[in-house]
Amino acid sequence: MATIRVPDEVPSPAQDSETLNQAFRGWGTDEKAIIRVLGKRNESQRKRIRESYREIYGKDLIDVLTSELSGDFMKAVVLWTYDPAERDARLANNVLNGKKKSIDKLKIILEISCTTSPNHLIAVRKAYCSLFDSSLEEHIASSVPFPLAKLLVTLATSFRYDKDMADTEVATIEAGMLREAITAKQLDHDHVLYILGTRSIYQLRATFVAYKQSYGNTLDKDVDGCPGDTDLKSLLQMVILCIESPEKHFAKVVSDSIEGFGTDEDSLTRAIVTRAEVDLMKARGEYFNMYNTSMDNATIGDVSGDYKNFLLTFLGSKI
């Protein structure tokens, strides 16, 4: 369930473009106008605004936003204004071009692969090739160490059946295959990758249920207890959570980003902006269940200014 609120009556793309252009003129920038327009438009409307702005003013709206705004507010607005496939392609590219490819960074590729629709993942891969003259999977294979690359390439190249169907017999058989791999301490076994990379989300959820029924523990717990590559175990546990409940995963991302000293604004922005048109309402509910406070209040208490106001447009605020 999305959280974005689009007004009943929306100006034309040309009118929105004019409002934005006016917001950029003069000595200062009218940030409230930018939030009021872009924060209240859906994917197709933002695309038309970007097209209209280029047609009328001869400039890419993304370039203008990057020039006129700054800091975390600029990053959030730009990320939101991108077409979702281009947005995710750029997020993945930033990870793969970074010097430090920590698990916290690599999970972005995992999120794109496991919490979006099959058609969206195909669109991301096409956008990646168009933008960066390389396929996503080639870039992963050439820049991420083994066996993490093996897992990420498998997930990034999947095209899952997306109907709500599951075969309980297959679930039981494949739960046994997963158990064998864990017992043999082979978390990167081809059977593990085959199952996680080809089965539908609904089939995998049935397999996870069958695993617990057959072996007493959750798959997540047994992966955690299996000796071996710590980073691989961490990624596999994220895969399991993203498949079982993407809402819980992103609730955790938000919590981790604001927990302790300092704020991880990039992770906070990514979680809220990329899920605002997908399932942010459910993630907010899971956040309350997990942490006994609202995501809205947690965000308000940790960020400020225009950046805060922009994020709050996706969390139910009437700003």
Side-chain angles (χ1 to χ4, degrees), residues 19-309:
T19 299
L20 291 172
N21 194 57
Q22 288 292 331
F24 301 139
R25 298 181 67 178
W27 288 103
T29 302
D30 186 351
E31 289 86 357
K32 289 183 179 179
I34 294 170
I35 295 172
R36 189 171 61 250
V37 173
L38 293 177
K40 302 291 185 179
R41 303 294 184 267
N42 62 31
E43 172 190 342
S44 62
Q45 291 165 338
R46 297 193 306 277
K47 182 179 180 180
R48 289 196 294 270
I49 291 170
R50 193 175 171 189
E51 291 170 348
S52 175
Y53 195 93
R54 179 182 287 280
E55 183 178 331
I56 296 171
Y57 302 106
K59 300 176 181 178
D60 188 336
L61 179 58
I62 296 290
D63 292 339
V64 179
L65 290 168
T66 302
S67 174
E68 293 289 335
L69 306 179
S70 62
D72 295 309
F73 177 54
M74 179 271 290
K75 291 179 183 179
V77 173
V78 168
L79 199 65
W80 175 247
T81 305
Y82 278 128
D83 171 81
E86 180 181 358
R87 173 201 300 154
D88 281 350
R90 291 185 181 277
L91 284 170
N93 185 255
N94 287 340
V95 171
L96 296 173
N97 281 334
K99 291 183 179 180
K100 186 178 180 181
K101 297 177 180 65
S102 65
I103 293 301
D104 198 52
K105 297 294 185 183
L106 292 175
K107 74 180 179 185
I108 295 173
I109 298 173
L110 187 153
E111 290 170 358
I112 295 166
S113 302
C114 296
T115 70
T116 64
S117 71
N119 287 329
H120 177 78
L121 182 55
I122 289 291
V124 171
R125 292 169 63 195
K126 288 181 178 178
Y128 203 97
C129 288
S130 176
L131 290 166
F132 305 115
D133 296 323
S134 168
S135 72
L136 174 58
E137 50 270 35
E138 285 174 323
H139 202 170
I140 293 171
S142 65
S143 61
V144 177
F146 188 89
L148 306 184
K150 185 178 178 183
L151 172 62
L152 290 175
V153 167
T154 299
L155 296 173
T157 55
S158 66
F159 187 77
R160 305 178 191 276
Y161 183 67
D162 62 354
K163 298 296 187 292
D164 187 357
M165 295 176 60
D167 186 319
T168 55
E169 184 177 350
V170 170
T172 300
I173 292 171
E174 294 190 343
M177 294 167 68
L178 293 173
R179 178 69 173 189
E180 288 176 7
I182 291 172
T183 302
K185 303 174 185 178
Q186 295 179 326
L187 293 180
D188 62 340
H189 193 284
D190 287 347
H191 287 167
V192 176
L193 302 182
Y194 164 76
I195 293 167
L196 295 179
T198 63
R199 295 305 188 191
S200 75
I201 297 300
Y202 301 101
Q203 183 63 48
L204 286 171
R205 288 173 181 169
T207 298
F208 298 164
V209 170
Y211 188 97
K212 188 175 189 306
Q213 290 174 341
S214 298
Y215 306 109
N217 287 335
T218 63
L219 179 60
D220 173 83
K221 184 174 181 179
D222 280 355
V223 166
D224 186 50
C226 182
D229 190 307
T230 302
D231 287 344
L232 179 61
K233 289 198 294 183
S234 295
L235 277 186
L236 283 171
Q237 288 179 288
M238 289 181 198
V239 171
I240 294 165
L241 181 57
C242 282
I243 289 169
E244 283 187 328
S245 177
E247 302 86 9
K248 287 183 180 179
H249 169 79
F250 284 103
K252 186 176 185 303
V253 172
V254 170
S255 178
D256 289 347
S257 71
I258 60 181
E259 197 175 74
F261 182 76
T263 304
D264 180 357
E265 288 86 355
D266 288 346
S267 293
L268 179 62
T269 297
R270 185 184 81 252
I272 292 178
V273 166
T274 64
R275 307 311 287 188
E277 292 181 286
V278 183
D279 57 3
L280 188 55
M281 185 69 76
K282 290 182 178 179
R284 289 169 71 204
E286 291 293 348
Y287 191 97
F288 187 84
N289 293 336
M290 293 165 69
Y291 304 107
N292 201 32
T293 187
S294 74
M295 186 182 291
D296 308 39
N297 288 338
T299 301
I300 290 170
D302 228 66
V303 297
S304 61
D306 297 314
Y307 175 55
K308 177 192 74 175
N309 292 336

